[in-house]
DNA sequence: TTGTAGGCGTTATCAA
DNA sequence: TTGATAACGCCTACAA
């Protein structure tokens, strides 16, 4: 469409040089107040907007931190983002939020963004499953991987990680369910080939059962189909229906996400199975909906605020810290067991 | 951190000119296969990534369409985005998803992005409440406003809008509730000063009541606090608790979003009020959770797939269409009333 | 306080 | 098939 108006056009219209316009735009002090006003008015009048590509290109550095989030529909991250943003801004940096598609490579995206926006640092929220160590090396700015239990290799000087111990917390949840008398606990978990939290939470479940002298049973461990790849309410619902119609006896459903637990509750309700009277239900993560569902759903909550704070702290340490304080740190937070109405 | 490696470095290492490297990167046909391989290998080896700012700056046009979404935690948009993306990509364009913060000006963002990425078109999902007509004029590429009932002024040649008729649909929902025998319907709605869907849906409610010869009652119309500004489960919960403790008698709660309806259900449950036996509940929008809640929640569903398809179609019309086919079009979709367990 | 000119990393044009 | 070189729009010395 119409030709784009540039800084030169504005300069010409005002009868000044481009650098004067630039000074006006960027609030430089050394500029006459009148010319400044004239320029600003002209800019307003013609609707001129500086071209960001040119700015980014020229700027040798910015004060920007990017947060890359995988999955747009994950309520788990929503308020973490708020907290992270606030803290980043308070520290004097500006903040960019970038969605990463499910099948997209987040490190790739980060590397592009680093160059494009001259980033100072990167925060990964979710995603980052199995990345070969060398991939991280492409990133030359400091980064923190948050809510994913990755191991940052020794050699990596500019990375850190924040998460809970998924395996241990899942074991605790299973122990809790066992302590409430449940013996045949069905597990709703990730696809078989999962290498991330699904794998860890499954391991915790198995470990707890074995610790209690119970043999894990294949029929009780329900993996979602590989193509689902998403911890949605609907997937939990479907898996539970299949579980029910499989005829396997179970007295509790433990889903590795609260969203799936919601789906499970609905499926049980429709089958006339009362929660918690006939069957217990437990979730994982501690998102809001579990609190408002009827019955409210027992869960293990990740300390999102603390984790968010820590994530930014680790990044700032690396950015501002004198030496290796923030180097290669991996911070594990304890999660919080929250018994609710869905279990006895 | 480390100096960024540029196209010139790669050229030097390969003993070729920069333009040859550029050709290799951009899959130009006129390049010797061997040099191409050499260059690609070198790029791989040194982890070179072209600087996007420079590319965008130089490129005179792209084939990119941007989708701007307001509010990260709105489940309503999640699958609309999927559909829109798929269709955009299928039409041979590339796709950018941009989050817009609640207090951010989406048109401003769009204008910046248009220049920065040389956009071909823009889709607004949500947001866009009361913008003076001239704001849209800053946008020189075609755009479509989706799910918001705005009026694109006659003079505007490059805009279109897709939505439901919020007022009419809200009236229908209220009519439906009246037809089920509810007489004292409490409304959970937007802040008093809302000028968008909240206003429309309130108007529909009022119109239905008056049509039935019922005088609207101030005590039954609950506006959320101005600072809430978000149609969350928690807000619905709080508003309903206040409604209950206000002592006003009501036999139904109609929330203008499904999320708020969920909160309402929980508040009623905690107060020992049975849904639907003692009180009906209805929501709006037709998001998934309403289907899986216990009781499942009566709602009026927006036809998200059709609206998504239409949104892209309207944009493509303007992009490819010979003449004024897509000009100044406003498309209103009918919504679908879905009675569920939460009403008699 | 202001203007001129050079360069940021690419791509595109043109000549070789 | 290649390589110089001129933009792209902006910022920033440096000079005035």
């Amino acid at each position: 469409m119409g030709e784009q108006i540039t800084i030169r056009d504005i300069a010409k219209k005002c009868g000044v040089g481009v650098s004067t316009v630039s000074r006006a735009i960027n609030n430089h002090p050394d500029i006459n107040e009148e010319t400044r006003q004239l320029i600003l008015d002209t800019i307003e009048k013609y609707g001129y907007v500086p071209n960001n590509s040119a700015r980014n290109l020229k700027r040798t550095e910015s004060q920007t931190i990017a947060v890359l989030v995988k999955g747009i529909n994950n309520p788990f991250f929503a308020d973490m983002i708020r907290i992270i943003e606030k803290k980043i801004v308070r520290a004097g940096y500006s903040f960019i939020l970038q969605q990463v598609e499910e099948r997209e490579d987040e490190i790739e995206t980060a590397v592009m963004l680093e160059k494009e926006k001259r980033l100072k640092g990167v925060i990964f929220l979710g995603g980052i499953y199995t990345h070969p160590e060398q991939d991280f090396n492409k990133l030359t700015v400091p980064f923190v991987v948050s809510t994913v239990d990755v191991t940052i290799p020794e050699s990596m000087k500019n990375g850190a990680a924040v998460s809970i111990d998924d395996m241990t917390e899942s074991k605790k949840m299973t122990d809790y369910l066992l302590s409430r008398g449940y013996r045949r606990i069905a597990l709703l978990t990730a696809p078989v080939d999962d290498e991330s939290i699904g794998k860890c939470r499954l391991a915790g479940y198995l470990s707890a059962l074995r610790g209690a002298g119970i043999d894990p049973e294949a029929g009780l461990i329900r993996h979602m189909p590989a193509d689902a790849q998403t911890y949605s309410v609907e997937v939990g619902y479907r898996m539970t229906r299949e579980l029910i119609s499989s005829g396997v006896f179970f007295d509790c459903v433990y889903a590795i996400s609260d969203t799936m637990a919601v789906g499970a509750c609905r499926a049980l309700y429709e089958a006339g199975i009362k929660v918690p009277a006939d069957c217990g239900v437990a979730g994982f993560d501690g998102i809001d909906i579990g609190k408002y569902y009827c019955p409210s759903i027992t869960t293990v909550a990740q300390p999102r605020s603390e984790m968010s704070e820590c994530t930014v702290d680790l990044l700032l340490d690396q950015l501002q810290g004198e030496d290796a304080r923030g180097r290669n740190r991996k911070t594990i937070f304890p999660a919080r067991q929250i018994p609710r109405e869905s279990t006895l």
Side-chain angles (χ1 to χ4, degrees), chain A:
Chain A
M1 301 294 164
E3 283 311 299
Q4 293 300 348
I5 177 167
T6 77
I7 195 174
R8 246 188 298 265
D9 300 321
I10 299 294
K12 208 164 294 172
K13 293 198 198 300
C14 294
V16 301
V18 286
S19 42
T20 309
V21 179
S22 176
R23 278 186 272 264
I25 295 170
N26 299 290
N27 293 316
H28 279 255
D30 51 349
I31 182 174
N32 181 297
E33 182 52 29
E34 280 173 34
T35 38
R36 210 180 75 88
Q37 265 314 326
L38 168 64
I39 291 170
L40 260 30
D41 290 348
T42 314
I43 285 176
E44 179 65 31
K45 181 173 159 200
Y46 289 93
Y48 163 69
V49 178
N51 182 313
N52 246 323
S53 293
R55 291 183 126 171
N56 291 330
L57 183 58
K58 181 61 199 178
R59 257 202 267 275
T60 133
E61 64 169 354
S62 75
Q63 292 294 339
T64 309
I65 291 172
V67 177
L68 306 203
V69 190
K70 197 141 195 175
I72 185 161
N73 45 5
N74 195 334
F76 180 73
F77 293 130
D79 56 303
M80 287 193 71
I81 293 171
R82 293 271 169 276
I83 298 172
I84 289 175
E85 171 174 19
K86 197 173 292 176
K87 201 173 166 96
I88 285 177
V89 171
R90 202 161 0 116
Y93 292 86
S94 58
F95 164 93
I96 288 182
L97 178 62
Q98 174 81 29
Q99 286 291 339
V100 183
E101 295 302 316
E102 199 56 52
R103 57 170 187 278
E104 208 177 322
D105 182 325
E106 49 269 275
I107 299 189
E108 198 83 6
T109 308
V111 170
M112 307 260 311
L113 220 52
E114 177 192 334
K115 298 213 195 308
E116 185 170 342
K117 308 275 193 196
R118 313 275 179 177
L119 297 183
K120 265 292 192 301
V122 178
I123 290 172
F124 297 97
L125 227 45
I128 303 276
Y129 304 135
T130 46
H131 271 283
E133 163 177 349
Q134 58 165 21
D135 281 8
F136 283 110
N137 279 317
K138 292 186 189 160
L139 222 46
T140 66
V141 294
F143 66 90
V144 180
V145 179
S146 192
T147 75
V148 181
D149 188 352
V150 291
T151 306
I152 307 287
E154 268 301 327
S155 60
M156 183 124 299
K157 301 276 186 263
N158 61 330
V162 176
S163 72
I164 59 165
D165 181 339
D166 283 287
M167 144 88 161
T168 305
E169 300 299 345
S170 178
K171 176 170 185 313
K172 278 196 214 156
M173 171 57 99
T174 313
D175 283 337
Y176 172 78
L177 294 174
L178 289 167
S179 80
R180 304 303 295 164
Y182 297 111
R183 280 296 168 272
R184 302 187 55 80
I185 304 169
L187 181 75
L188 267 38
T189 187
V192 245
D193 61 347
D194 182 272
E195 290 288 336
S196 182
I197 55 169
K199 189 180 181 178
C200 301
R201 293 179 188 176
L202 168 59
Y205 163 86
L206 293 175
S207 156
L209 286 194
R210 296 212 176 94
I214 298 177
D215 257 356
E217 226 173 283
L220 287 176
I221 301 176
R222 320 295 298 196
H223 292 278
M224 72 178 74
D227 57 330
Q229 277 296 13
T230 162
Y231 298 38
S232 67
V233 175
E234 170 153 12
V235 164
Y237 174 78
R238 287 226 200 108
M239 291 169 78
T240 307
R241 282 182 61 116
E242 280 163 26
L243 171 67
I244 293 169
S245 61
S246 77
V248 182
F249 174 69
F250 58 95
D251 55 13
C252 184
V253 176
Y254 164 32
I256 67 162
S257 85
D258 288 335
T259 45
M260 287 198 292
V262 165
C265 282
R266 180 72 203 180
L268 292 169
Y269 172 83
E270 290 181 2
I273 301 170
K274 298 264 181 301
V275 176
D278 302 335
C279 175
V281 171
F284 203 108
D285 284 342
I287 61 172
D288 271 2
I289 184 67
K291 193 162 60 187
Y292 294 103
Y293 200 79
C294 296
S296 60
I297 298 171
T298 296
T299 194
V300 32
Q302 303 197 42
R304 283 174 287 177
S305 318
E306 292 92 319
M307 288 170 75
S308 306
E309 297 276 349
C310 176
T311 298
V312 181
D313 283 337
L314 282 180
L315 194 66
L316 294 179
D317 275 3
Q318 297 184 64
L319 253 33
Q320 308 165 339
E322 291 68 41
D323 63 350
R325 241 196 91 202
R327 167 224 245 221
N328 194 23
R329 280 207 277 172
K330 178 166 171 175
T331 308
I332 302 290
F333 278 84
R336 196 160 47 96
Q337 187 75 31
I338 308 182
R340 293 210 184 101
E341 299 163 355
S342 68
T343 49
L344 293 172

